Amino acid sequence: MRVLTGLQPSGDLHIGNYFGAIKPMIEAQNENEMFIFIANYHAMTSSQEGKNLRTNTLKAAAAFLSLGINPQKSIFWLQSDVKEVVELYWILSQFTPMGLLERAHSYKDKIAKGLNASHGLFSYPVLMAADILLFDSQIVPVGKDQIQHVEIARDIALKVNNTWGEIFTLPQAKINEEVAVVVGTDGAKMSKSYKNTIDIFADEKTLKKQISTITTDSTPLEEPKNWQNCKIFSLAKLFLNSEEQEELKKRYEKGAEGYGHFKIFLNEIINAYFKEAKEKYENFLANPQELEFYLEQGANKARKIAKEKMQKIYEKIGL
Ligand code: ADP
Ligand code: TRP
């Protein structure tokens, strides 16, 4: 299957992102033809501060590569390195009814949150359709909020195919139903908008601070504790095999340890789990040449496919 996904370079990644989206994507590399890019054009709709966008883009690329996107297995690039996508966006705009975009929830939500109602924000789904259709993507893994955008891409593809014949593959959105929602430090869904995250690449001090804010009940230190509804336990569980989970349950049931001890334990296992990725991440940022090499290699592969597709489209549209 040809699987494509775009990732917004939007700040620090948290362990909810990791277990909910990144880990499944890394595992999927073994069975699929994966196309993964950093959606820096899309990020322009929420901020026009060039310096921030550049830093965030490189950080995101470093993060995904160090967490396990393998440039030998997947095609990984920066959206803005394959300009054909913007050209296709304009062509697709001719096939996009206003009403289709006017119905987009994401646009309405962003306006309600105070973003400027720019044409860029309004036409965001058309650029996303270009990302998807340029590469004949079959499966598009996305978060729930993006399903409608994949449906818009499908609608646009249908409209083009009706006019030109079967030129585009019809994409299908995929959300990872098996992965459970990761809870944040306050018990709600972990999300950067709730400021309840534990970040993957946090420095030691920040990680400790984030873990210290996990709320617990007030069972005294010496008494047995309930792991079933303890947020520290639900988070720790993500990093432990079943044997290790049983051991931790026993420590809860035994008493004699307080939540502070379990927080220290959680800190240790998170550190150990991401140790290697953190080292790679720091290394990529300190030596951007290696990072740039992978991005260029990815862009070259993506561009070749994009150019071939565009040739067919030029013939149809008369360019
Ligand atoms: P945030 O809510 O922090 O803004 P995003 O909406 O950018 O996160 O999510 C990016 C991806 O990570 C999506 O695919 C989403 O489903 C996944 N994800 C985010 N938070 C969680 C969570 N708490 N549990 C599981 N998956 C999550
Ligand atoms: N809009 C997506 C998001 O905010 C990112 C994205 C851009 C994307 N282009 C895409 C996702 C193409 C899937 C396919 O998460």
Side-chain angles (χ1 to χ4, degrees), residues 10 14 16-17 19-21 142-145 179-183 189-193:
S10 47
H14 55 72
N17 298 140
F19 289 100
V142 281
K144 284 205 179 77
D145 61 321
V179 297
V181 168
V182 174
V183 293
K189 174 186 181 240
M190 187 178 287
S191 169
K192 57 182 172 296
S193 24

Side-chain angles (χ1 to χ4, degrees), residues 15-303:
I15 61 177
N17 298 140
Y18 181 74
F19 289 100
I22 305 170
K23 191 164 176 257
M25 182 165 70
I26 285 158
E27 287 165 356
Q29 292 182 116
N30 298 324
E31 297 117 44
N32 298 285
E33 201 187 352
M34 299 281 285
F35 286 63
I36 307 166
F37 62 93
I38 307 290
N40 54 348
Y41 280 142
H42 279 102
M44 288 166 59
T45 57
S46 44
S47 161
Q48 292 80 40
E49 286 179 40
K51 197 163 167 253
N52 279 353
L53 179 58
R54 175 143 209 85
T55 314
N56 286 345
T57 303
L58 289 179
K59 275 188 171 176
F64 289 107
L65 284 173
S66 53
L67 287 168
I69 287 179
N70 180 338
Q72 263 73 48
K73 287 186 190 163
S74 299
I75 303 187
F76 181 65
W77 75 101
L78 301 186
Q79 188 183 27
S80 62
D81 280 345
V82 180
K83 311 277 185 218
E84 282 73 11
V85 76
V86 190
E87 198 178 4
L88 182 58
Y89 154 75
W90 176 247
I91 295 170
L92 295 183
S93 294
Q94 321 314 317
F95 293 85
T96 311
M98 289 293 284
L100 190 63
L101 299 181
E102 277 160 0
R103 285 194 293 277
H105 306 300
S106 171
Y107 174 72
K108 290 188 255 183
D109 290 351
K110 285 175 182 166
I111 300 299
K113 280 192 193 135
L115 278 172
N116 285 331
S118 69
H119 175 259
L121 194 60
F122 184 67
S123 62
Y124 179 117
V126 189
L127 180 59
M128 186 157 157
D131 292 325
I132 295 170
L133 303 179
L134 184 56
F135 297 98
D136 286 308
S137 319
Q138 294 166 295
I139 305 286
V140 185
V142 281
K144 284 205 179 77
D145 61 321
Q146 297 292 317
I147 297 175
Q148 194 190 21
H149 288 161
V150 181
E151 284 165 358
I152 292 176
R154 200 182 160 90
D155 285 350
I156 297 174
L158 273 168
K159 243 175 154 341
V160 179
N161 287 356
N162 280 337
T163 314
W164 288 345
E166 296 299 305
I167 186 132
F168 290 129
T169 302
L170 299 184
Q172 190 82 51
K174 180 173 173 269
I175 38 170
N176 221 327
E177 295 285 7
E178 316 91 85
V179 297
V181 168
V182 174
V183 293
T185 52
D186 56 358
K189 174 186 181 240
M190 187 178 287
S191 169
K192 57 182 172 296
S193 24
Y194 303 152
K195 299 196 167 39
N196 62 356
T197 62
I198 296 179
D199 297 336
I200 302 175
F201 295 108
D203 58 51
E204 252 173 66
K205 207 171 139 207
T206 311
L207 180 64
K208 211 167 155 195
K209 198 165 157 225
Q210 289 178 334
I211 292 176
S212 74
T213 63
I214 301 175
T215 51
T216 56
D217 63 29
S218 51
T219 315
L221 188 140
E222 56 289 345
E223 275 179 35
K225 293 178 184 61
N226 205 336
W227 51 265
Q228 285 89 339
N229 44 27
C230 176
K231 292 170 227 63
I232 310 171
F233 185 86
S234 350
L235 289 165
K237 200 174 151 204
L238 298 165
F239 299 90
L240 301 175
N241 63 31
S242 49
E243 223 171 278
E244 292 163 334
Q245 288 180 28
E246 289 311 310
E247 273 173 40
L248 184 58
K249 283 181 194 170
K250 284 198 193 112
R251 283 172 62 185
Y252 270 77
E253 285 159 0
K254 190 161 168 241
E257 283 186 282
Y259 289 116
H261 296 103
F262 298 130
K263 286 185 178 177
I264 293 172
F265 177 66
L266 179 63
N267 197 324
E268 284 166 2
I269 54 181
I270 294 180
N271 263 330
Y273 191 91
F274 291 117
K275 185 169 183 283
E276 210 179 304
K278 266 186 182 167
E279 283 167 8
K280 280 193 190 158
Y281 177 75
E282 297 301 338
N283 224 347
F284 275 134
L285 293 180
N287 306 292
Q289 304 90 311
E290 195 189 351
L291 183 62
E292 278 156 14
F293 168 79
Y294 287 132
L295 291 174
E296 198 180 311
Q297 199 183 45
N300 287 340
K301 290 185 202 163
R303 202 177 297 117

